[in-house]
């Protein structure tokens, strides 16, 4: 390093590698942009409620009414609150003291037709020749059911059955006989059959659950009848009966209240007439005493 040029390296003394690296770092541009901050997350209770959220809460309230957890007045008040709610925080207090019956029912239904680890059971054969045959209640539905009715009747009720597999095929033959099939509302019902001088009526139904089992009815009816349709659950019938009983009790209470009010009006009118007659009698007696004096 030369002393005459103030300690700066001259042409004969080039800068070292460390000094070159320091100069390159000094020449790097400075980032003047500011890092954007994310907006604060919205609390779950402040989220806007959708129509599906309101319908889900309303379904829980309907089941609570059917089970007797709510009376009709409480149910009406809460339903009004549900359809007026705008956020999830306004929906949550409505069902805070109720079990999530809708989710429990859906989970129970899915468990009822969850595929089992074992192999499918043997075919179920139902034969009715000048007689009647039925299969109902809680039972494991096999993959194939064969029903034959000759001058007889066969009843197949799957509303309480457990479905180890996703598809059940029912082969029916009705000759001068009848075959009646009932399935739950939460499954898919299909048919491929015909009637020969008879009726083959299958009410096709599509389940909203993509994992729901499928029941396919095949066969024919010769001078007979085959009928298959979904069956409403017991809780719907209970709800209808409860509403009917509630309306009947309300009419009875209104009738009794009207009778009591009418009786009270008659008593008040009778007392008013008696008091009026007593006042007239008193005035007449005073008048007679005055005339006699």
């Amino acid at each position: 390093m030369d002393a005459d040029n103030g300690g700066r390296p001259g042409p004969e003394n080039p800068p070292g590698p460390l000094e070159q690296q320091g100069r390159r770092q000094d020449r790097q541009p400075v980032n003047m942009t500011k890092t954007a901050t994310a907006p604060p997350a919205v609390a779950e209770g402040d989220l806007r409620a959708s129509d599906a959220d309101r319908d889900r809460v309303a379904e829980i309230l309907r089941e609570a009414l059917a089970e007797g957890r709510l009376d009709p007045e409480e149910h009406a008040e809460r339903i009004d609150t549900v359809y007026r709610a705008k956020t999830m925080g306004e929906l949550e207090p409505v069902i805070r003291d109720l079990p999530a019956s809708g989710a429990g029912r859906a989970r129970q239904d899915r468990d009822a037709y969850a595929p089992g680890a074992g192999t499918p059971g043997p075919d179920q054969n139902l034969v009715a020749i000048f007689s009647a045959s039925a299969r109902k209640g809680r039972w494991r539905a096999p993959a194939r059911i064969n029903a034959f009715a000759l001058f007889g009747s066969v009843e197949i009720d799957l509303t309480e059955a457990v479905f180890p597999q996703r598809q059940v095929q029912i082969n029916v033959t009705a000759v001068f006989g009848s075959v009646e099939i009932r399935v739950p509302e939460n499954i898919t019902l299909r048919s491929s059959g015909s009637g020969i001088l008879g009726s083959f009526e299958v009410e096709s139904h599509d389940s909203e659950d993509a994992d729901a089992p499928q029941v396919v009815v095949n066969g024919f009816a010769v001078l007979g009848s085959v009928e298959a349709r979904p069956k409403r659950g017991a809780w719907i019938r209970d709800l209808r009966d409860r509403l009917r009983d509630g309306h009947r009790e309300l009419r009875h209470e209104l009738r009794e209240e009207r009778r009591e009010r009418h009786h009270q009006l008659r008593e008040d009118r009778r007392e008013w007439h008696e008091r009026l007659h007593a006042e007239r009698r008193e005035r007449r007696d005073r008048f007679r005493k005055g005339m006699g004096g």
Side-chain angles (χ1 to χ4, degrees):
M1 183 177 292
D2 194 357
D4 296 338
N5 53 9
R8 293 188 298 272
E12 66 279 3
N13 295 324
L18 295 178
E19 294 178 347
Q20 292 178 358
Q21 182 178 4
R23 293 179 181 179
R24 284 197 300 269
Q25 291 179 354
D26 293 339
R27 289 196 298 268
Q28 289 181 355
V30 180
N31 186 9
M32 302 298 293
T33 59
K34 295 183 179 180
T35 304
T37 58
V42 180
E44 183 178 358
D46 297 333
L47 292 175
R48 302 286 293 188
S50 65
D51 292 338
D53 296 327
R54 298 184 186 91
D55 293 339
R56 175 181 57 83
V57 176
E59 180 66 22
I60 295 177
L61 293 178
R62 281 191 290 269
E63 294 190 11
L65 174 63
E67 295 172 356
R69 301 180 187 273
L70 297 176
D71 56 33
E73 294 182 0
E74 292 175 335
H75 176 263
E77 293 177 358
R78 298 196 183 194
I79 283 292
D80 183 69
T81 303
V82 166
Y83 287 104
R84 290 177 180 271
K86 296 182 179 180
T87 62
M88 298 298 295
E90 297 176 359
L91 289 176
E92 194 275 336
V94 179
I95 55 174
R96 181 178 299 167
D97 57 346
L98 298 175
S101 53
R105 181 180 295 274
R107 183 165 51 253
Q108 180 180 2
D109 292 339
R110 286 194 296 269
D111 294 341
Y113 54 74
T119 59
D123 295 354
Q124 178 80 48
N125 298 317
L126 299 173
V127 180
I129 301 176
F130 291 95
S131 62
S133 179
R135 193 68 171 91
K136 61 179 66 177
R138 190 73 173 178
W139 59 297
R140 294 176 63 86
R144 184 180 292 105
I145 301 174
N146 303 313
F148 177 76
L150 174 63
F151 290 99
S153 64
V154 175
E155 181 183 358
I156 303 174
D157 191 346
L158 297 170
T159 55
E160 299 182 9
V162 178
F163 294 82
Q165 57 282 326
R166 296 299 172 91
Q167 182 170 347
V168 175
Q169 181 176 342
I170 303 178
N171 301 319
V172 298
T173 302
V175 181
F176 291 96
S178 64
V179 178
E180 183 180 359
I181 303 170
R182 293 291 180 266
V183 299
E185 288 183 312
N186 60 334
I187 73 169
T188 299
L189 179 61
R190 293 284 184 267
S191 69
S192 176
S194 60
I196 303 174
L197 299 179
S199 64
F200 194 98
E201 299 180 0
V202 176
E203 184 178 335
S204 299
H205 178 73
D206 291 327
S207 175
E208 298 180 357
D209 190 352
D211 296 331
Q214 181 177 4
V215 175
V216 181
V217 181
N218 300 324
F220 59 91
V222 180
L223 294 173
S225 66
V226 175
E227 180 184 7
R229 64 182 57 188
K231 181 180 179 181
R232 292 186 299 177
W235 70 274
I236 298 180
R237 293 197 305 269
D238 295 341
L239 175 60
R240 182 184 58 191
D241 295 339
R242 287 177 181 272
L243 291 176
R244 185 186 299 113
D245 295 340
H247 291 161
R248 186 182 299 112
E249 293 178 0
L250 181 60
R251 288 196 299 269
H252 179 71
E253 292 177 359
L254 291 176
R255 191 181 301 111
E256 291 295 329
E257 184 179 357
R258 191 181 303 111
R259 184 180 297 110
E260 292 179 0
R261 186 163 54 250
H262 182 69
H263 178 72
Q264 185 64 35
L265 289 175
R266 291 180 57 185
E267 289 294 328
D268 294 343
R269 188 180 300 108
R270 185 179 58 81
E271 293 178 0
W272 181 78
H273 281 292
E274 290 180 354
R275 187 167 57 253
L276 182 61
H277 287 311
E279 292 178 356
R280 290 179 178 177
R281 190 179 305 109
E282 184 179 356
R283 287 197 302 268
R284 184 180 56 192
D285 293 341
R286 289 201 303 266
F287 179 75
R288 289 179 177 179
K289 290 181 179 179
M291 292 295 295

